[in-house]
Amino acid sequence: MISKVTIESVEKRGITELKSVFCSTPFKVVEVREDKKNPLLELMLMSSSPGVLDNDELSFDYLIAENCQVEMTTQSFQRLFTMENSAVQKTNVVVKENAFLSYLPQPTVPHKDSNFKSVNTICLEKNAAVIWGEIFTCGRKLKDEIFQFTQFQSLTKIFQEEKLVYFENLFLNPTKRNPLNIGQYEGFTHQLSLVYIDDACDVPVLKKQLDAFLEDKECTFGISETATNGLSIKILEFKAEKLLTLMKQLTQIIKNGRL
């Protein structure tokens, strides 16, 4: 199935609203903002499909207009079903001047023999900011499908004013290299990746706050400053729910610092 979602926002009197939305089967975008006076537009991507199937081609285009503030979430875990071939997902994001996007999807669960590639391209204009999250799991752990997928790849590229400032390539092929080995996940089965790029951010201060917060959470983590003004956070764990909670908590700390 070839599916496409296009979203464009607009700022009116200090409040972000949806300007236009296009969704093809099986997707739907709904506004979940309870307080309509809240400047932050909260959106949820919903799907009537149980997950990603063989030969699926998914395309997402998000345009965050000037001075807009948008937070995107997804409805449920993204399940990658058994495939004979492969599936691909492409996400293109443009965050205009003085705008902000927070993207916090539910975890990805690759089933046995799935083959999936995701490419995320994020373009930030002057004074734009982004929080981009991703939670990867080993598969259906309770069914003993631990790293039994064929291949998984997630490419994330972030540009600031047309200059590449962040590049991440998560590539796993368990048939050629066991992800549980030394130098790989070393026994861990779940990973959270969270990157925050913002020219207005006081990176040293924020890093200390996030370090102090995570040190009390009994998790294995690392926080690095990016080449530009931002932070890259990695956490290894054994449960998706814990990572999902941590991603939301970390995002709230970051957002509080932006107020």
Side-chain angles (χ1 to χ4, degrees), residues 140-200:
R140 294 186 295 179
K141 199 172 182 180
L142 296 179
K143 290 184 176 291
D144 294 324
E145 289 186 5
I146 299 177
F147 295 117
Q148 292 191 18
F149 51 86
T150 302
Q151 186 169 286
F152 178 88
Q153 184 175 19
S154 177
L155 274 169
T156 300
K157 296 176 286 185
I158 301 180
F159 296 83
Q160 272 188 314
E161 299 182 60
E162 300 184 354
K163 179 182 178 181
L164 180 64
V165 296
Y166 183 85
F167 181 87
E168 180 175 353
N169 182 14
L170 174 60
F171 180 82
L172 296 170
N173 187 330
T175 61
K176 295 183 178 179
R177 178 174 295 180
N178 187 350
L180 296 172
N181 285 346
I182 293 176
Q184 301 295 306
Y185 284 105
E186 299 189 8
F188 289 98
T189 54
H190 295 60
Q191 174 184 291
L192 165 64
S193 296
L194 190 69
V195 59
Y196 173 46
I197 304 291
D198 184 356
D199 279 341

Side-chain angles (χ1 to χ4, degrees), residues 202-213:
D202 189 335
V203 170
V205 171
L206 178 61
K207 186 176 184 299
K208 288 181 180 179
Q209 292 176 340
L210 298 178
D211 273 325
F213 172 78

Side-chain angles (χ1 to χ4, degrees), residues 29-66:
V29 174
V30 296
E31 181 178 341
V32 293
R33 174 173 53 186
E34 296 182 2
D35 182 3
K36 301 302 180 182
K37 295 182 180 180
N38 184 354
L40 179 68
L41 174 61
E42 299 173 85
L43 301 175
M44 178 178 288
L45 179 66
M46 306 177 70
S47 175
S48 59
S49 171
V52 180
L53 305 174
D54 195 16
N55 297 317
D56 277 357
E57 296 180 20
L58 312 179
S59 176
F60 303 97
D61 291 286
Y62 304 139
L63 176 58
I64 314 303
E66 291 184 11

Side-chain angles (χ1 to χ4, degrees), residues 210-216 219-223 233-236:
L210 298 178
D211 273 325
F213 172 78
L214 289 174
E215 283 173 358
D216 293 332
C219 61
T220 299
F221 73 94
I223 303 178
I233 305 166
K234 305 291 184 185
I235 303 177
L236 294 176

